[in-house]
Amino acid sequence: MIERRPVLDFVSHAVLIIGVAIIAFPVYVAFVASTQTAAQITGSNPLSLVPGGNIVSSYTLALMGGKVAAGGTIPPGWPMLWISFVVAMTIALGKIAISIISAFAIVYFRFPFRGLVFWMIFITLMLPVEVRIGPTYQVVADLGLINTYAGLTVPLIASATATFLFRQFFLTVPDELAEAARIDGAGPMRFFIDILLPLSKTTMAALFVIQFIYGWNQYLWPLIATTSEDMYPIVLGIKRAIFGEIYVEWNVVMATAILAMIPPAIVVILMQKGFVKGLVDTEK
């Protein structure tokens, strides 16, 4: 039986509160800046930590775009949010679909050089998109996929990490389940759909959260794979808002940054239970 010590409980809670405060403070500063005007942000030193009254104007400009007092034009943010959402969903679902099928084939099918095939997949971890970005861009350009959703997503869909995790999970599934399914006359795909997929829900939930955030935060590949602002995801939109104008509307930039945080936060909150269970649950 574990003895509860008030002093240790207090210290642990204090450390957690300090950690949350350190992480949340930059987000709060960004929110406060988004509620003020650009003149208030650039004119105050230090920046006021009290929310201002410009919240409606800042978030309207961030979402819908329009002209600002300095004479510049703010592009609408909602199309970039939509592009980021489509890209993140496609990458997350594509990685899960390809990885779970690959792991299923490696674990449950007997074919020559099965172990070699798995290790060839695993070795690709040493070749992230940053390493192979030149050849990848050449292939995408030759296929005419620049400024397309396919060009933004297909090169990032394959995942050796997800394949490895699904393989390790499938190895923990008792062989008696496969044998029972075989005796009942179930084929490989029926066994996969009716037994393995339901058992893999928590693993898929954990991977979905990780891969959705990975796809949402992509910057380098969209920067290269897009030449038209109509296909910019929200991360590139924030960069453009900072470096695209001589006079930066920092309130709109901060409002856009806050809006860009909301979808990943919603995904984490909605799938928190499955995410945690998929990472720590050992009773597969």
Side-chain angles (χ1 to χ4, degrees):
M1 185 174 180
I2 300 176
E3 181 182 356
R4 297 183 62 87
R5 299 181 180 180
V7 175
L8 293 179
D9 289 345
F10 173 79
V11 172
S12 61
H13 282 81
V15 171
L16 289 174
I17 291 172
I18 293 173
V20 170
I22 293 174
I23 295 173
F25 182 71
V27 179
Y28 176 75
V29 172
F31 172 74
V32 170
S34 70
T35 64
Q36 300 177 358
T37 64
Q40 289 175 326
I41 296 173
T42 57
S44 59
N45 189 16
L47 176 69
S48 173
L49 296 180
V50 179
N54 199 48
I55 182 171
V56 175
S57 176
S58 295
Y59 283 89
T60 300
L61 278 173
L63 276 174
M64 308 306 297
K67 293 187 177 297
V68 294
T73 301
I74 302 294
W78 70 264
M80 294 182 285
L81 288 169
W82 173 250
I83 291 171
S84 291
F85 177 77
V86 173
V87 169
M89 285 292 292
T90 304
I91 290 175
L93 296 178
K95 281 178 178 287
I96 291 173
I98 293 176
S99 299
I100 196 170
I101 294 174
S102 302
F104 173 64
I106 291 172
V107 173
Y108 289 99
F109 286 83
R110 302 292 184 264
F111 54 90
F113 307 108
R114 183 178 58 161
L116 177 62
V117 170
F118 168 72
W119 284 109
M120 288 178 65
I121 295 174
F122 195 70
I123 287 174
T124 60
L125 285 174
M126 295 186 292
L127 298 172
V129 68
E130 292 81 6
V131 175
R132 51 184 170 83
I133 198 163
T136 304
Y137 176 80
Q138 185 64 48
V139 172
V140 171
D142 291 342
L143 294 175
L145 299 180
I146 299 298
N147 292 320
T148 64
Y149 285 109
L152 287 172
T153 57
V154 171
L156 304 176
I157 281 182
S159 175
T161 302
T163 303
F164 173 76
L165 292 177
F166 279 120
R167 173 185 177 270
Q168 296 304 109
F169 167 68
F170 289 161
L171 290 175
T172 65
V173 176
D175 294 336
E176 290 77 8
L177 285 177
E179 186 64 26
R182 191 178 301 110
I183 293 173
D184 288 340
M189 293 310 299
R190 179 60 59 188
F191 171 70
F192 175 72
I193 295 172
D194 290 347
I195 297 178
L196 289 183
L197 281 184
L199 291 175
S200 305
K201 285 183 178 179
T202 55
T203 304
M204 288 190 288
L207 285 172
F208 178 82
V209 173
I210 295 171
Q211 302 302 341
F212 182 90
I213 296 174
Y214 166 82
W216 184 273
N217 290 332
Q218 280 299 308
Y219 173 77
L220 179 60
W221 177 247
L223 180 65
I224 296 175
T226 56
T227 57
S228 171
E229 295 183 1
D230 295 337
M231 288 300 298
Y232 277 7
I234 192 64
V235 177
L236 286 185
I238 296 173
K239 187 271 299 184
R240 181 191 180 282
I242 296 175
F243 297 104
E245 303 287 345
I246 298 177
Y247 180 76
V248 179
E249 294 286 336
W250 284 108
N251 57 322
V252 180
V253 172
M254 294 301 173
T256 306
I258 293 295
L259 291 173
M261 298 179 195
I262 294 176
I266 292 175
V267 169
V268 172
I269 292 172
L270 292 179
M271 304 191 68
Q272 180 181 11
K273 184 178 180 180
F275 174 69
V276 175
K277 190 175 182 180
L279 293 180
V280 304
D281 188 13
T282 57
E283 297 180 2
K284 299 296 185 181

